[in-house]
Amino acid sequence: MVPPTIIRLLLGMQIFALVDAAQLCDTNVTLFSEKWGREGEIFNVTISFQNVTKKTVFNLVPDWDRLQVSDTVFEVMEDSEVDMNMTSNQFYLYKVKISCLNGDSEEESENFEVPVSRTVTSNTVALVFQRIMTVSLAFAMLLMGCELKFEIVRAYLLRPMAPAAGMFCQYVCMPVMAYVIGYFFLSDDIYARYGLILIGCSPGGSFSNFWAAIWGGDLDLSVTMTFCSTVASFGFTTFWVWLFGRYVLNADKPIDLPYLQLFLSLVSLVVPVFIGLLITYKRPDLSAKLVKLSRPFFMVMMLLVTTMGTYANLFFFSVVSWYHLVAPAVLGVCGYVVGILFASFLCLKKEQIIALSLETAIQNAGIAIMILQSNLASPYGDMALLPVIGYLTTTSGPLNIVMYSLYRLFTFLTEKIIGSKGENQELRKVVAHDNKAYSN
């Protein structure tokens, strides 16, 4: 039995036709369609049987019952082509198993891909959410700029040991770990594996700065590393995307990177931060008031991103599998651990360790999403997007919200317990003193 031919995708172009072929029971079987359908549509699929030497019965079974097929059994006696209808109300990269019994009564089978693309409908809530987030991010970065100390940022840039450590973790450790983790967890899903790799290759994002501020990390170092990694992404992200696109995804054409999006990310970081620094320089009293708003605003923003982001990507939960969650979760945890270990090895301070760890693990997922949307048509881009959304779900916002809530609860209870013990000790001292005075 000959395995299916390797299908090479023309990236950056819509995929209208896909041919998958194999040899089963000495017959060349090909499954193809002139135009694959969208979810909810009925589309035509053709099976071609060539080099038929004897009467053979072929069976076709979808891997998921959400794909409905008009015919499942084909009795072939000569070279022929059979048309059938397929439909599904759920986008997915389906596989159909075509099998037959050979002369020794042994089953020969092969899986063939059936792509059903997603129907993108206009979502007013998602659009409003996107506009609100754009303004909120700009204001959040302005608040962050009010907290920065220009002399410290300048010192980090002049003696960049800590930023260089963050760059090494982000652009060497993370891509390699993403490749290895994808190899073990996503070896059978090449698109999901590529999506995970894109997360590992992306620069740091603004959310790492927010969490560095909330967790009490070195905010000056965090913003400096985000700036440096975004600038370096024009080279490093390009290299890794080219390397993995060529040798993992087997792309015939170079993958286009959203350089405009990278530039806009850089601008959206630098301009509000610069305005915040300017406010601190010109109006330190106003800057102090704005700084008091930063932590509550960051937490509200993280909760908003988590809830509204989940709503805008509800489709994710209809097709996600356990490995779409476990693989990115492992990558995120490894990112945190590597950042902590590397910073500790360099004997950095606690605040710097927090900042470097967060900067390593929390990537700019928007860059990965832009690359997938601009290079892979649905459902291929959607399947690659699953580990990206899984990463946001398991590693970035929700995980930090839960951990920070538990941390604050633990701190509150500890203070209460210690405070109660302290009050009891003071009360005992007062009572003992009064008893002693009374006895005298």
Side-chain angles (χ1 to χ4, degrees), residues 300-315:
V300 170
M301 192 172 174
M302 293 299 100
L303 290 171
L304 180 66
V305 169
T306 301
T307 54
M308 296 301 296
T310 301
Y311 177 80
N313 294 284
L314 285 176
F315 73 89

Side-chain angles (χ1 to χ4, degrees), residues 140-423:
M141 296 310 297
L142 184 146
L143 293 178
M144 207 166 293
C146 293
E147 291 194 58
L148 297 183
K149 299 175 180 61
F150 179 76
E151 296 78 10
I152 298 178
V153 174
R154 182 172 176 270
Y156 277 132
L157 291 174
L158 292 176
R159 300 186 63 182
M161 182 183 72
M167 295 275 287
F168 179 83
C169 292
Q170 199 159 41
Y171 283 124
V172 177
C173 298
M174 284 295 284
V176 173
M177 288 190 300
Y179 177 85
V180 174
I181 292 170
Y183 178 82
F184 283 104
F185 287 97
L186 305 170
S187 58
D188 294 331
D189 192 341
I190 190 171
Y191 299 102
R193 186 180 176 191
Y194 191 69
L196 186 70
I197 288 173
L198 284 180
I199 278 290
C201 301
S202 297
S206 301
F207 291 130
S208 62
N209 308 140
F210 301 153
W211 283 115
I214 293 172
W215 279 107
D218 190 329
L219 188 58
D220 298 283
L221 175 60
S222 179
V223 174
T224 302
M225 287 192 295
T226 300
F227 172 79
C228 293
S229 68
T230 304
V231 172
S233 65
F234 288 89
F236 284 105
T237 302
T238 300
F239 168 74
W240 285 114
V241 167
W242 167 82
L243 182 68
F244 290 124
R246 183 180 179 88
Y247 295 104
V248 175
L249 197 60
N250 295 320
D252 285 335
K253 290 189 176 183
I255 296 175
D256 297 326
L257 261 71
Y259 291 108
L260 177 60
Q261 182 72 14
L262 288 171
F263 176 74
L264 291 177
S265 297
L266 191 61
V267 172
S268 64
L269 169 70
V270 174
V271 173
V273 168
F274 179 78
I275 294 175
L277 288 169
L278 188 62
I279 292 174
T280 302
Y281 178 72
K282 294 289 187 179
R283 295 284 305 276
D285 55 335
L286 177 60
S287 176
K289 293 178 181 179
L290 290 174
V291 168
K292 292 180 180 179
L293 295 174
S294 61
R295 299 304 184 275
F297 183 79
F298 293 162
M299 280 304 299
V300 170
M301 192 172 174
M302 293 299 100
L303 290 171
L304 180 66
V305 169
T306 301
T307 54
M308 296 301 296
T310 301
Y311 177 80
N313 294 284
L314 285 176
F315 73 89
F316 167 77
F317 299 98
S318 63
V319 295
V320 67
S321 299
W322 66 269
Y323 48 82
H324 293 132
L325 296 172
V326 173
V330 172
L331 176 62
V333 171
C334 288
Y336 288 118
V337 172
V338 166
I340 292 173
L341 293 177
F342 207 86
S344 301
F345 176 76
L346 295 176
C347 300
L348 299 181
K349 298 178 181 178
K350 175 186 174 182
E351 294 78 9
Q352 294 174 317
I353 293 174
I354 294 174
L356 198 149
S357 175
L358 291 168
E359 189 69 22
T360 300
I362 301 179
Q363 307 287 71
N364 190 344
I367 300 301
I369 293 172
M370 286 292 295
I371 293 174
L372 293 174
Q373 290 180 340
S374 59
N375 286 279
L376 289 175
S378 180
Y380 304 99
D382 299 320
M383 303 309 296
L385 193 61
L386 294 180
V388 178
I389 299 177
Y391 187 86
L392 293 173
T393 304
T394 60
T395 300
S396 183
L399 176 65
N400 275 286
I401 290 174
V402 172
M403 294 300 294
Y404 186 73
S405 300
L406 292 175
Y407 167 74
R408 295 297 299 176
L409 178 62
F410 175 78
T411 304
F412 174 77
L413 294 176
T414 303
E415 290 176 351
K416 283 292 184 181
I417 294 173
I418 294 177
S420 299
K421 289 182 178 179
E423 291 175 0

